[in-house]
Amino acid sequence: DGDDRWTWTGPNPLFGEALVAGDRVCFVDEACDLVCLARADGAPCWRVKLHDEKFAAAPESKNSTFNHRTATPVAFGDTLYVGSTDHSVYALDLATGKPRWCHDVGAPIHAAVALDGDELIAGCFDGTVLVLNRQTGAEVARTKIGGPIASAPVVVGSMIIVGGRDYLLYGLKRVDLSVAWCDSFWFSWVESVPRVVEGMIYVGGSDFRRISLIDPATGATRWATDVRGLTWGSPVVRAETIFAGTSAQNPAAIKHEGGITALDRATGAVKWRHVTPLAADADRAGYLGSLVIADGKIIGAGYDGTVIAFPAKEF
């Protein structure tokens, strides 16, 4: 019903998503502290600093414009895996926060790593994509794309899909990280993490203002729809409908519109829009992150601090 269950407030801004793992909630703050709370009541369990100056050679600085993001932890069993701005990937004990291993990758990481069997795949802010052994942290392979990576890689079959700030979405061969295909997003950073459903990917397009359905094996676009706004989050996919949050910014090279858009999954045709107007004195409006679906409701957290839910009967 939208009532608060509990609230935890920390000393630093939070720019990444939280991971729910069993009875714990884990997230990284702007100072690169990994925080773990009890899911039941928000009580602190532990906090670990993930910025080691022997790797990064300087204290963590405040994020610059468009880099207000931190990596989201991922869990496998009783282990957390997370990248950091100190150029490292960490494996930590979920119960205690004690590090199990740490690997210096040579560049900051602002996005979640991907789990694929006994290996991890990380995208770095210098464009490096690398594969690590999940149990030891040993490096298996690496390559480099043409721009910084600010969103998580996704493994689909024999391909790794990753977006860059060089305006391209890449399909890398899982076996050797070679480029199988790349798709131009029209001078738009690819910030959206692709959503994988039934072997296909649904991805947003930032300034491109698109939601696209793409075949990950070939890079072929099945459809692409103008949703009128920046699409930095991951689309939500249901049986017949795609839901995407969009945001507006001012100033901008082209007009953007913030809100929530529902698309026909088969064709990409727009079913309906919920528009969040951009106030004359505001620099942003709409939904900068991903929507979620729970109990038959589409839920979005707006830039104005409002959480909104659409009941199932409306879509």
Side-chain angles (χ1 to χ4, degrees):
D1 58 10
D3 285 346
D4 292 347
R5 293 292 185 91
W6 53 259
T7 300
W8 176 90
T9 302
N12 302 305
L14 306 175
F15 297 125
E17 297 180 16
L19 166 73
V20 177
D23 61 355
R24 302 294 177 92
V25 178
C26 303
F27 51 90
V28 179
D29 67 19
E30 187 188 36
C32 277
D33 286 357
L34 176 59
V35 180
C36 180
L37 308 177
R39 181 179 177 183
D41 58 9
C45 297
W46 49 259
R47 174 190 292 265
V48 174
K49 188 73 175 175
L50 294 185
H51 192 87
D52 192 330
E53 293 184 26
K54 72 182 180 183
F55 297 128
E60 169 62 357
S61 60
K62 296 293 184 181
N63 282 320
S64 58
T65 302
F66 296 114
N67 289 335
H68 292 287
R69 59 186 72 240
T70 51
T72 302
V74 298
F76 186 91
D78 61 356
T79 305
L80 292 175
Y81 301 95
V82 62
S84 173
T85 56
D86 73 354
H87 306 179
S88 301
V89 175
Y90 290 83
L92 307 99
D93 184 274
L94 175 59
T96 66
K98 182 178 180 180
R100 292 179 171 172
W101 55 256
C102 174
H103 181 81
D104 181 7
V105 301
I109 298 176
H110 292 288
V113 299
L115 290 170
D116 187 32
D118 287 332
E119 294 180 329
L120 306 174
I121 298 148
C124 305
F125 209 59
D126 70 344
T128 297
V129 178
L130 70 155
V131 181
L132 302 176
N133 181 281
R134 180 173 56 79
Q135 297 180 3
T136 67
E139 190 167 315
V140 177
R142 73 164 55 207
T143 191
K144 200 168 188 178
I145 64 171
I149 298 169
S151 56
V154 170
V155 180
V156 191
S158 62
M159 305 293 291
I160 299 170
I161 312 301
V162 62
R165 288 188 170 180
D166 57 349
Y167 321 127
L168 297 173
L169 180 70
Y170 288 83
L172 307 178
K173 295 180 181 179
R174 178 67 178 86
V175 65
D176 61 4
L177 303 186
S178 62
V179 177
W181 55 263
C182 55
D183 187 13
S184 172
F185 271 47
W186 184 76
F187 298 105
S188 175
W189 291 347
V190 186
E191 307 282 275
S192 173
V193 178
R195 184 81 67 185
V196 181
V197 180
E198 296 177 355
M200 301 293 286
I201 59 174
Y202 301 81
V203 62
S206 196
D207 289 282
F208 194 38
R209 303 195 336 177
R210 298 292 192 277
I211 296 295
S212 301
L213 171 60
I214 297 175
D215 185 338
T218 64
T221 299
R222 298 292 180 88
W223 54 253
T225 300
D226 183 356
V227 290
R228 299 184 185 174
L230 299 158
T231 52
W232 290 341
S234 299
V236 173
V237 181
R238 296 201 79 193
E240 298 179 353
T241 309
I242 311 298
F243 301 94
T246 64
S247 62
Q249 67 181 32
N250 182 34
I254 59 175
K255 182 179 179 181
H256 297 119
E257 184 178 86
I260 296 174
T261 302
L263 307 174
D264 183 271
R265 182 178 172 188
T267 66
V270 175
K271 290 186 172 183
W272 55 258
R273 299 181 192 271
H274 166 78
V275 177
T276 305
L278 178 65
D281 59 346
D283 62 344
R284 298 191 186 280
Y287 302 87
L288 281 68
S290 300
L291 307 175
V292 296
I293 186 167
D295 298 329
K297 299 180 180 69
I298 293 294
I299 302 170
Y303 183 72
D304 63 356
T306 300
V307 176
I308 189 170
F310 286 91
K313 66 180 181 182
E314 293 192 13
F315 54 83

